[in-house]
């Protein structure tokens, strides 16, 4: 995953993650591999926020494999995992607006959770949750990103 991630971090498409963060969240990730070389070409994670809401995190494909459908397949697999967990909505914070729009995500300007749920999830120490809630302490991570949401069928 690190070898796929490095060029994307350098080009500021992804925020870098410490190795410990990747290990802590490894159960959330799916990895796409090249059928010929068996090398990783992309990855994505599903993080559950609440009983009906999850986030697509760190969805990325190595630049050499862009346009091959690997990202679409990863997103589709993450959506299936979300449905299996009973989630009805998926959130993402992204620069890749057109990619997610093509997968039926829309820009999310509205409040995404009711006040009583906000009061619960604001207690999370997770930076991704803080980004979802648009908290001031993570503004530097979210500048220029679009908040997008998909209602799962």
């Amino acid at each position: 995953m690190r070898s796929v991630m490095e060029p994307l971090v350098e080009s500021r498409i992804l925020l870098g993650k410490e190795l410990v963060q990747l290990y802590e969240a490894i159960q959330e990730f799916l990895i796409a591999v090249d059928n010929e070389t068996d090398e990783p070409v992309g990855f994505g994670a599903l993080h559950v926020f609440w009983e009906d809401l999850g986030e697509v995190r760190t969805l990325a494909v190595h630049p050499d494999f862009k346009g091959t459908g690997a990202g679409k397949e990863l997103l589709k697999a993450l959506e299936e995992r979300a449905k299996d967990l009973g989630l009805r909505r998926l959130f993402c914070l992204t620069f890749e607006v057109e990619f997610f729009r093509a997968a039926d995500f829309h820009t999310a300007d509205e409040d995404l959770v009711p006040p009583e749920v906000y009061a619960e999830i604001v207690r999370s120490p997770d930076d991704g949750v803080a980004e979802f809630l648009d908290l001031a302490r993570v503004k530097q991570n979210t500048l220029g990103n679009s908040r997008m949401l998909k209602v799962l069928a």
Side-chain angles (χ1 to χ4, degrees):
M1 285 176 54
R2 293 290 295 232
S3 64
V4 173
M5 188 178 284
E6 287 173 7
L8 300 170
V9 171
E10 288 173 11
S11 61
R12 297 185 179 265
I13 292 170
L14 281 181
L15 286 174
K17 293 198 182 296
E18 297 295 332
L19 192 54
V20 67
Q21 291 174 297
L22 294 175
Y23 278 115
E24 287 174 342
I26 197 68
Q27 74 281 356
E28 297 180 349
F29 278 88
L30 296 177
I31 299 173
V33 296
D34 181 345
N35 291 334
E36 294 177 21
T37 66
D38 217 28
E39 292 293 317
V41 298
F43 48 82
L46 173 66
H47 183 80
V48 177
F49 279 170
W50 201 247
E51 65 184 339
D52 70 331
L53 178 64
E55 179 186 16
V56 173
R57 288 187 173 179
T58 320
L59 179 63
V61 174
H62 190 280
D64 293 345
F65 289 86
K66 269 196 146 185
T68 64
K72 289 178 186 176
E73 289 300 316
L74 279 166
L75 182 56
K76 183 177 171 184
L78 292 169
E79 288 180 10
E80 288 304 314
R81 182 181 272 186
K83 289 177 189 176
D84 290 345
L85 292 171
L87 302 180
R88 295 189 321 263
R89 299 178 301 152
L90 284 180
F91 165 82
C92 70
L93 188 64
T94 185
F95 291 111
E96 302 293 334
V97 173
E98 293 308 315
F99 172 82
F100 282 97
R101 189 169 284 134
D104 297 325
F105 281 73
H106 67 275
T107 304
D109 295 325
E110 71 274 7
D111 290 334
L112 298 174
V113 294
E116 62 274 10
V117 173
Y118 182 97
E120 290 292 330
I121 64 177
V122 75
R123 296 178 181 148
S124 173
D126 185 275
D127 281 343
V129 173
E131 291 166 350
F132 167 76
L133 296 174
D134 207 21
L135 300 180
R137 71 178 171 91
V138 292
K139 284 290 188 194
Q140 70 278 7
N141 295 347
T142 63
L143 294 175
N145 281 330
S146 293
R147 297 164 57 82
M148 301 189 79
L149 186 73
K150 179 175 184 173
V151 176
L152 300 172

